[in-house]
Amino acid sequence: MAAVLFDFSGTLFRVESADAWLRAALAGAGLALPGPELAETARALEAAGALPGGANPLRVPEELAEVWETRDQSPELHRAAYTGLSRQVPLPGPGLHDALYDRHMAPVAWRPYPDAAEVLGALRGHGIAVGVVSNIGWDLRPVFRAHGLDRYVDTYVLSYEHGIRKPDPRLFATACAALGAEPGRTLMVGDDRRADGGAAALGCAVHFVDHLPVTERPAGLRPVLDLVR
């Protein structure tokens, strides 16, 4: 393999829990909820799918269906989709819906998987180019920089910057072109079989990892090193 493409959320990084996310937004607004109410509100937000990078909504309200399907094509659509979902849940302040959205973009809201630095560093040591291909509505580069992983990434191909999203093969083709790598010598690593599996249509090899909390997946990326040999 000449290059490896990685998904972001659920592959290299995992977003904080809904409970921690809500606590942080409340604290930033100078608000608090009693323990049981906070836990119940966090569960409701998670069920609504309001945390980007968290669980998908159990049900998308009809009025949000269109924006949900196109959410990764622009920052405006992404914010509208997720704040729309969070507004399905009553919160103790009207500004909290935007505060929650802003919080999820903070580097501190994300943790790299335990073996991410090890695997990315090993790929760099073997001269293998690395790209990040993500369906997302905001610039994730600061997350990589804050956690010291930006130095291992040669290119970022983000859906909102191109107006197309995975599984569209054009997004993977853009990444391969940026790395100067033939698709047949490129491996795509992700957690979404539909979205990340779209790379196969271009001729890339594909490897899937499980979207688990970081404590439950200490070495899920290490098989990548065997696949590129």
Side-chain angles (χ1 to χ4, degrees):
M1 292 293 175
V4 180
L5 308 177
F6 289 93
D7 174 51
F8 167 55
S9 175
T11 299
L12 290 175
F13 283 85
R14 171 77 183 223
V15 74
E16 64 189 344
S17 69
D19 186 90
W21 174 58
L22 177 58
R23 285 179 186 274
L26 288 168
L31 298 170
L33 288 173
E37 187 177 348
L38 187 143
E40 178 56 34
T41 303
R43 283 193 293 269
L45 287 166
E46 188 167 25
L51 173 58
N56 283 328
L58 296 179
R59 182 187 70 84
V60 177
E62 185 177 346
E63 67 273 17
L64 292 175
E66 184 175 351
V67 73
W68 176 254
E69 286 302 314
T70 58
R71 67 192 181 279
D72 296 317
Q73 294 180 13
S74 78
E76 295 78 17
L77 289 168
H78 199 265
R79 179 181 286 271
Y82 284 101
T83 57
L85 291 172
S86 74
R87 287 190 174 92
Q88 308 301 306
V89 180
L91 297 177
L96 277 173
H97 300 289
D98 279 306
L100 283 170
Y101 184 84
D102 292 339
R103 165 68 186 186
H104 103 273
M105 294 187 290
V108 71
W110 294 88
R111 289 178 61 190
Y113 281 93
D115 56 345
E118 170 196 343
V119 169
L120 292 174
L123 293 174
R124 173 56 55 90
H126 286 99
I128 296 173
V130 169
V132 171
V133 184
S134 178
N135 283 347
I136 198 165
W138 50 277
D139 188 1
L140 52 72
R141 295 172 182 87
V143 176
F144 281 78
R145 287 196 292 268
H147 291 278
L149 300 186
D150 179 67
R151 56 184 167 160
Y152 302 123
V153 180
D154 299 294
T155 193
Y156 297 89
V157 178
L158 312 180
S159 62
Y160 83 95
E161 294 181 334
H162 298 273
I164 50 176
R165 59 196 298 260
K166 300 179 291 187
D168 192 319
R170 292 176 295 170
L171 210 61
F172 305 107
T174 298
C176 289
L179 297 174
E182 293 294 329
R185 299 188 62 209
T186 299
L187 172 68
M188 175 66 205
V189 181
D191 67 299
D192 188 317
R193 278 163 171 74
R194 178 178 179 274
D196 300 313
L202 191 68
C204 299
V206 181
H207 175 69
F208 297 109
V209 295
D210 294 322
H211 189 148
L212 294 170
V214 292
T215 56
E216 296 177 24
R217 211 193 77 193
L221 291 168
R222 286 181 188 160
V224 170
L225 299 180
D226 294 324
L227 293 170
V228 299
R229 287 176 184 154

